[in-house]
Amino acid sequence: MTSSGVKHKHVRFASMEDQEEDTLFDKKTDAGLELRSALKATERTATPGGPDRVKVVGGRSGEGSFGRWVLTLSLCGSFLGLGMSISVLGPTFKDLAENVNKDISNISYIFVGRSAGYIGGSLVGGVLFDRMSPHLLLGFSMLLTSLGMYAIPFCRQAAVLTAFMSSIGMTMGVLDTGGNVLILNTWGEHSGPHMQALHFSYAAGAFASPIIAKMLFGHHGNSTHSVHPNTSHSSSTFTVTESMWAYVVISSFVFLFSLFFFVLHSRSTSPLDKPRTSPGRPLVARHHVALVALLFLFFFAYVGAEVAYGSFIFTFATDYAGMSQAEAAGLNSAFWGVFAAARGLAIFFAACLRPGALILLCLVGSTVSSLLLCLFSSQNVSLWVCTSLYGASMATTFPSGISWLEQYTTVTAHTAAVFVVGAALGEMVLPAIVGFLLGKFPHQPLLMYLSLITATFTSILFPVMYKLASAPGSQGSKRADADDGDGEYRQALLYSGGDEEEELN
């Protein structure tokens, strides 16, 4: 019996050795099927240096799915107000200078003040986003933005105006950082079209603000109205330029959407509002720091050129091209209108084109259009056509850049804060330089030179980033692994297989 038992035991292990490959294959296949169904329901996103977050990315019936759409619409409304708040500075820049008795070359530092606040707000938002309710954080940031926007028309001191611009920049930086991360946390892998919709809303607001400032309120030129209607016109000493009422309208809109976020905070019961911890390690690319640093420079140049062009095309058109204020406001709106339309189309393009392809199209278009603007900026027809092409080419770069990096590494609140800081630095430095130089050299197309330089720089930088992301030894594309259906499952099976091997030993 004993020898028979031993023989049976040896036969058993021989059979396992003969069929080891098939058995492990069957186990991995069964485990793979279970993992596929589990991973379709949830997606784990890790925060470097902190606990992982589990996000629902598949469609879910009931309150959760409805809540995600309500939150997305609220974020789109907030970015609509953000776009209006940022771009209204361009068409009202001269009026702000008149309010504080300055010329445009001596007041361009308000861009520095706003962008400095934007940088601080981005950093604060990256820290606070993981430590408090995102709904409450965004609600307070929008409320403070609306109060600051309301106060700007009544500023009569340059220092006070700069202080308000800086405070508004800080609250807008919190909103920008929090909004981008909240979209990623809400929709996960499927955030591409929603990210484009978020930034389309920003562009739509940027398109609307010149219309509100100059076509709706500024059609009487530089005429003013007394703030105190009971006083006589001759004794009135406190007047507001008509275009300044655009700030009041925009602040009221931003205040309205701040209430939406307070309501969402009071009614938040969805698991999306509270991150849940999960074991695992963050999916971070090997060259994560280098990629984030290069994208920081990329956004510095891109956003700086975008804001500078949108802010000064009105001044350039009137002073250099000889357009009337109405025509210049129309050109300004054409830039932001095509910009917004291209971002609207990108919502659908993002479903069939990878972010890298969208970025390449944008870079080619911005380089060609900025070159033509340098050559033919004095001709009104060329200015209209090339400005529209430039706006369309700049449209999807920022959201596509975030989505592109998300393919290779984890984008967290801290990472998004770095991007927003880079964008804010570009918004601070480049428009300030252009504003100063336009006051000194009003008959030179300096704005067009800046557009060409930044377009060339970003066109060189993106292939470097792509080469670094796809270099041998790097992690590779997370999305590509998800698309072929084997990447994450294979990694999980390796851990499972290692446990089984230890049990056999």
Side-chain angles (χ1 to χ4, degrees), residues 309 369-370 372-373 376 381-391:
Y309 199 92
S369 58
S370 59
L372 294 175
L373 282 168
F376 307 106
V381 175
S382 299
L383 192 59
W384 279 89
V385 173
C386 294
T387 295
S388 300
L389 178 59
Y390 188 67

Side-chain angles (χ1 to χ4, degrees), residues 132-311:
M132 63 181 293
S133 167
H135 299 157
L136 190 62
L137 177 63
L138 297 184
F140 272 120
S141 67
M142 294 188 69
L143 177 61
L144 295 176
T145 300
S146 67
L147 295 177
M149 290 289 291
Y150 183 80
I152 281 178
F154 306 100
C155 293
R156 288 297 181 269
Q157 298 292 329
V160 176
L161 177 63
T162 304
F164 273 108
M165 283 291 182
S166 181
S167 62
I168 291 172
M170 179 171 289
T171 56
M172 290 191 297
V174 174
L175 175 61
D176 198 351
T177 301
N180 283 290
V181 177
L182 195 54
I183 280 289
L184 290 175
N185 285 357
T186 302
W187 296 101
E189 280 185 354
H190 308 287
S191 62
H194 304 284
M195 181 70 73
Q196 297 290 348
L198 187 71
H199 289 272
F200 162 72
S201 301
Y202 168 87
F207 166 72
S209 62
I211 298 176
I212 297 173
K214 285 299 180 183
M215 294 185 178
L216 185 61
F217 291 108
H219 55 279
H220 294 301
N222 293 328
S223 61
T224 57
H225 287 293
S226 173
V227 177
H228 306 288
N230 293 329
T231 61
S232 63
H233 180 73
S234 59
S235 63
S236 176
T237 59
F238 193 70
T239 57
V240 175
T241 305
E242 283 190 349
S243 63
M244 293 292 99
W245 292 105
Y247 286 88
V248 178
V249 173
I250 294 171
S251 66
S252 301
F253 180 86
V254 174
F255 174 76
L256 176 64
F257 271 90
S258 70
L259 300 180
F260 277 89
F261 281 99
F262 288 127
V263 172
L264 286 174
H265 171 69
S266 65
R267 299 176 60 87
S268 58
T269 57
S270 170
L272 288 169
D273 302 324
K274 295 181 180 180
R276 295 178 292 174
T277 58
S278 159
R281 300 186 64 185
L283 295 174
V284 177
R286 180 179 179 181
H287 303 293
H288 174 84
V289 176
L291 285 172
V292 172
L294 290 177
L295 204 58
F296 171 92
L297 297 175
F298 185 89
F299 285 147
F300 172 89
Y302 158 73
V303 175
E306 173 198 317
V307 174
Y309 199 92
S311 299

Side-chain angles (χ1 to χ4, degrees), residues 60-82:
R60 193 178 79 177
S61 60
E63 184 179 353
S65 179
F66 177 75
R68 283 195 297 277
W69 281 106
V70 170
L71 176 59
T72 302
L73 292 175
S74 299
L75 285 171
C76 288
S78 68
F79 268 60
L80 182 68
L82 179 65

